[in-house]
Amino acid sequence: MSAPTFQGYRRSDGTIGVRNHVLVMSVTGLTGPSARRIGRAVPGVRVVTTPFGSGLMGEDAEVQMRALTAFGCHPNVAATVVIGATPPQVERIAQSIARTGRPVEALIFDECEHDAITLTERGMRTAARMLRDASRLQRTPASLGDLFLGMECGRSDPSSGLVSNPLVGCVVDAVVAAGGRALFGETIEWLGAEHLLARRAVDASVAQAIEAAVVRRERTAVAAGLDLLGNNPGPTNIAAGLSTIEEKSLGAIAKGGRSPIRGVIGIADPVPGPGLYVQDAPAYAPESVGGLVASGAQLVLFTTGVGNSFVSGLAPTIKISANPVAVRRLREQLDFDASDVFERKASLEEAAARLQSVVLDVASGMLTWGEVLDEGEEVVSRLGPAL
Amino acid sequence: MTAWSATALSAADNVATLLHAVERGERVIVRTTAGDIGVTALEPIALCHKIALRDIAPGEAVLKYGECIGEATAAIPRGGWVHIHNVRSRRGRAPQASP
């Protein structure tokens, strides 16, 4: 049997894209409406905006800056129009993107005398040119080991832990064994299973970092006077049969497969090399997926029990469920039906081979339901108070 | 092929997950790592919810995936429904003040 391959876009910095997006990115809250207007006027571009700006400080400001820069340097992005209010931040982000060899243009609201129509016109012309140029790029063969998978679960039920997450884990192990990368986050959903993750850490310092991250999240919840029951697991999880955070976590970590864990990274930190990493980050799907994509995940494997519509706008997000009721009800949301494993009509191994082939098809250009319906959005977590 | 309708992934587990909803009095065949066992459901239990495989005492660990998912807050008889009315997390709670 020949080695599994897909067709990807080889970027000048050596990364491989599974999409060829032109990004219109507003890096300040003031310019978001113009970025969205440019997106409507030039169909086919992707729009990323942030509602925040100069009031951010400390680690919060660093995370925003790192994540926005990372979106512009993402393997799935061919070129970017960076839009912002004032020069220093816009130019810093544009320079970082330029260093990857990708085309980038900076548009500054100050230089348009804060006239949104002028900014829109300049943005439309720039985005239109970039879109035409990007369309000349061709896909070339790439291997399974060129993939960087992000793993996420949302609106889980017990079928997630029994079937969908272990299934994703099988594909993750195959990608890691082939030299690829994989990353999952949602720290609070390690709680009760952190000893199992720590056991897979490559060394004692990584094991300690995993356990410390969980303790920090647990203490934050306790300090806020929060009972995790009703928050995580949330009402949907509970109605579906999950009773405690430990039960949810023990199912959730299966999406990371069985490969060694090479390190714990922060939101939007690049992964240092091939292999499996974990990200210390919030669990809510839009924030969590945003963090994984900002760290470079090209493709997201997103398991759900009863259905979850959230997808990344930059990384195709494959929705997987094994819940027989959900897969019948959400035919235009769930990309992969694993209910035959739940109903004992297929083995996990058979389904994993099928999922891997869907992953390669999507990597080569097949659209996910989230892409067809344009559900995608990038969200960057906020960490603290602003000025 | 046996019509098994619940699964327990580890030999240590004292609960199993139902692969379809069951009625009170229904005989449930549970696939365990040690082979199939039969348990009679004492009450209706929904799809994906948990059934006790043994009597579980108050305070005893509830085990799924071979790991503790919380503790029983009441006596749970074999065949009973195991959920938030009789099990709670051991985590995410403020430390007990010392007497």
Side-chain angles (χ1 to χ4, degrees), chain A residues 18 33 60 174 178 188 235 291 304 320 324 334 381:
Chain A
V18 301
D60 212 0
I188 199 74
T304 179
I320 300 148
L334 300 172
S381 288

Coordinates of all heavy atoms in Angstrom, one line a residue, chain A residues 18 33 60 174 178 188 235 291 304 320 324 334 381:
Chain A
V18 N -3.4 23.7 3.7 CA -4.4 22.8 3.2 C -5.5 23.7 2.5 O -6.4 23.2 1.9 CB -5.0 21.9 4.2 CG1 -3.9 21.0 4.8 CG2 -5.7 22.6 5.4
P33 N -15.4 47.0 11.5 CA -16.5 47.1 10.5 C -16.0 47.3 9.1 O -16.6 46.8 8.2 CB -17.2 48.4 11.0 CG -16.9 48.4 12.5 CD -15.5 47.9 12.6
D60 N -2.0 39.7 28.4 CA -3.2 39.8 27.5 C -2.9 40.4 26.2 O -3.2 39.9 25.1 CB -4.2 40.7 28.3 CG -5.7 40.3 28.0 OD1 -5.9 39.3 27.2 OD2 -6.6 40.9 28.5
A174 N -1.5 8.2 14.1 CA -0.9 8.0 12.8 C -0.2 9.2 12.3 O 0.9 9.0 11.7 CB -2.1 7.6 11.8
A178 N 3.9 9.5 11.7 CA 4.4 9.9 10.3 C 5.3 11.2 10.4 O 5.7 11.6 9.4 CB 3.3 10.1 9.4
I188 N -9.3 22.6 31.6 CA -10.3 22.1 32.6 C -10.8 20.7 32.3 O -11.2 20.0 33.2 CB -11.4 23.1 32.8 CG1 -12.1 22.9 34.1 CG2 -12.4 23.0 31.7 CD1 -11.4 23.5 35.3
P235 N -25.1 22.0 31.2 CA -26.5 21.4 31.1 C -26.7 20.4 30.0 O -27.3 19.4 30.2 CB -27.4 22.6 31.0 CG -26.6 23.8 31.4 CD -25.2 23.5 31.2
G291 N -7.2 29.3 19.8 CA -5.8 29.1 20.3 C -5.1 28.0 19.5 O -3.9 28.2 19.3
T304 N -18.2 15.9 18.7 CA -19.3 16.3 19.4 C -20.2 15.2 19.7 O -20.2 14.2 19.0 CB -20.0 17.5 18.7 OG1 -21.2 17.9 19.4 CG2 -20.5 17.0 17.3
I320 N -17.3 15.5 14.0 CA -17.4 14.0 14.1 C -18.3 13.7 15.2 O -18.2 14.2 16.3 CB -16.0 13.4 14.4 CG1 -15.0 13.7 13.3 CG2 -16.1 11.9 14.7 CD1 -13.6 13.9 13.8
P324 N -26.2 8.4 17.4 CA -27.0 8.0 16.3 C -28.1 9.0 16.0 O -28.5 9.2 14.9 CB -27.6 6.6 16.7 CG -26.8 6.2 17.9 CD -26.2 7.4 18.5
L334 N -22.5 17.7 10.6 CA -21.5 16.6 11.0 C -20.9 16.0 9.7 O -21.6 15.5 8.9 CB -22.2 15.6 11.8 CG -22.9 16.2 13.1 CD1 -23.7 15.2 13.8 CD2 -21.8 16.7 14.0
S381 N -8.6 34.5 23.1 CA -9.0 34.6 24.5 C -8.5 35.9 25.1 O -7.4 36.4 24.8 CB -8.4 33.5 25.3 OG -9.0 32.3 25.0

